[in-house]
Amino acid sequence: MRPFVYGLTPTDDGYKEDRSRAFPIRAFARSDSYRWLGLFESNLHLFGVDDPGRILLFGTDAFGRDEFSRVLYGGQISVAAGVVATFVALLVGSVVGVVAGYYGGWIDEILMGSTELFLSLPWLYFLLGVRAFLPLHVSPARTFLLLACVIGLIGWARPARLVRGVALSARTRNYVLAARGFGGSDFYLLRRHVLPKTYGVLLTQAALLVPRYIAAEVALSFFGLGINEPAPSWGNMLSVLQQYSVLVSYAWLLAPAAALFITSVIYSLLADALHSRLESRSS
């Protein structure tokens, strides 16, 4: 009654089942070693089979590599790229928005004019153009950092406008005016009274921007401008589907698209929950 898989025999077209051998599936099996988050080395897997058996839940790609493992590993890269890009965008956007909203005047006009310029650009095409000027033949780690920074530096404009509105409202509060009257410096007022008011907006924006930037990384890698082989990401894994024959005959290679959809839905639900929580607290 225990779940099992049959043995696999390599052939020219992939693998063929050998029904004379069965390998039971074991929970927390030990197999090949790996690094978790690139830091901790382990050989403990969530499930597995004894050697020489192989368990391939999502099948394999054209090179015989386990699609399930590559979806999980590629998800780490794609989601990490979205998180890093979101951090960069929110960091730049919060600095620009707070400075523009707190000081006002000509500083506000210049910074918000730059923000309007960024918002008017065709985001995807501009991102493709900027990435095309960056070096292509670099290591996957450097490509990851370049990609995340480019996506984040392009997407700072909308958070900056939202943070500016919060800073404009916060600087006119009575307790801020009283603190300034008692000799509070600009740095103290920003750190103590203005910045804490922006945390709710930044959290909601983070939940909204992460799936958008994950999709941006997937799009760039899909067109060959992002993470390159052999390092997997959801984008370069989906790039094989540009061939119609692959799309029709090997449906399991759509697994990264399903993972991207599930991740986007999770972050959308998280953004709705954060927005509802903030509204209930403010009321």
Side-chain angles (χ1 to χ4, degrees):
M1 300 299 293
R2 190 170 189 171
F4 68 93
V5 294
Y6 289 116
L8 298 175
T9 302
T11 63
D12 295 337
D13 298 329
Y15 292 95
K16 180 180 180 181
E17 283 189 350
D18 182 4
R19 293 181 175 269
S20 63
R21 297 183 300 169
F23 299 90
I25 300 176
R26 305 181 186 277
F28 301 105
R30 296 191 178 274
S31 184
D32 298 332
S33 61
Y34 62 93
R35 285 188 175 273
W36 186 64
L37 298 178
L39 300 174
F40 310 104
E41 186 171 358
S42 175
N43 62 352
L44 185 65
H45 296 252
L46 184 61
F47 57 86
V49 296
D50 296 332
D51 290 334
R54 292 290 182 268
I55 178 170
L56 306 171
L57 293 183
F58 291 173
T60 64
D61 61 5
F63 299 98
R65 298 174 297 190
D66 180 24
E67 186 74 4
F68 180 75
S69 299
R70 287 176 58 81
V71 167
L72 296 182
Y73 192 86
Q76 295 182 29
I77 296 177
S78 297
V79 173
V83 172
V84 173
T86 299
F87 175 78
V88 173
L90 294 182
L91 179 63
V92 176
S94 60
V95 171
V96 173
V98 167
V99 171
Y102 182 79
Y103 290 102
W106 62 271
I107 297 178
D108 184 22
E109 293 180 1
I110 292 176
L111 293 179
M112 288 301 102
S114 302
T115 301
E116 295 295 335
L117 175 62
F118 267 81
L119 288 176
S120 64
L121 293 173
W123 183 77
L124 180 59
Y125 297 108
F126 184 71
L127 182 60
L128 291 172
V130 171
R131 179 62 185 90
F133 282 101
L134 296 176
L136 296 178
H137 302 290
V138 294
S139 65
R142 187 171 298 179
T143 303
F144 168 82
L145 292 176
L146 287 173
L147 192 63
C149 291
V150 167
I151 295 174
L153 291 175
I154 291 176
W156 60 268
R158 191 174 300 276
R161 290 185 62 184
L162 296 174
V163 171
R164 171 187 176 267
V166 176
L168 279 172
S169 176
R171 74 171 186 173
T172 58
R173 300 294 177 90
N174 292 331
Y175 54 84
V176 176
L177 298 176
R180 182 182 292 114
F182 281 109
S185 63
D186 290 342
F187 178 76
Y188 172 80
L189 295 177
L190 289 172
R191 178 180 60 83
R192 184 67 178 83
H193 297 295
V194 178
L195 282 177
K197 295 294 183 181
T198 65
Y199 292 162
V201 173
L202 292 177
L203 282 175
T204 306
Q205 281 295 297
L208 289 172
L209 291 178
V210 168
R212 183 181 303 177
Y213 292 159
I214 293 175
E217 185 278 328
V218 170
L220 288 175
S221 298
F222 180 82
F223 291 115
L225 297 174
I227 308 297
N228 296 320
E229 294 283 358
S233 77
W234 288 344
N236 62 29
M237 292 175 66
L238 290 172
S239 63
V240 298
L241 299 178
Q242 298 180 42
Q243 304 176 21
Y244 179 74
S245 59
V246 176
L247 180 62
V248 173
S249 303
Y250 307 102
W252 61 84
L253 296 179
L254 285 168
L260 175 62
F261 174 78
I262 294 172
T263 303
S264 301
V265 170
I266 290 174
Y267 275 102
S268 297
L269 295 176
L270 178 61
D272 292 339
L274 287 173
H275 184 69
S276 301
R277 181 69 179 272
L278 293 174
E279 281 189 346
S280 62
R281 290 183 62 182
S282 61
S283 61

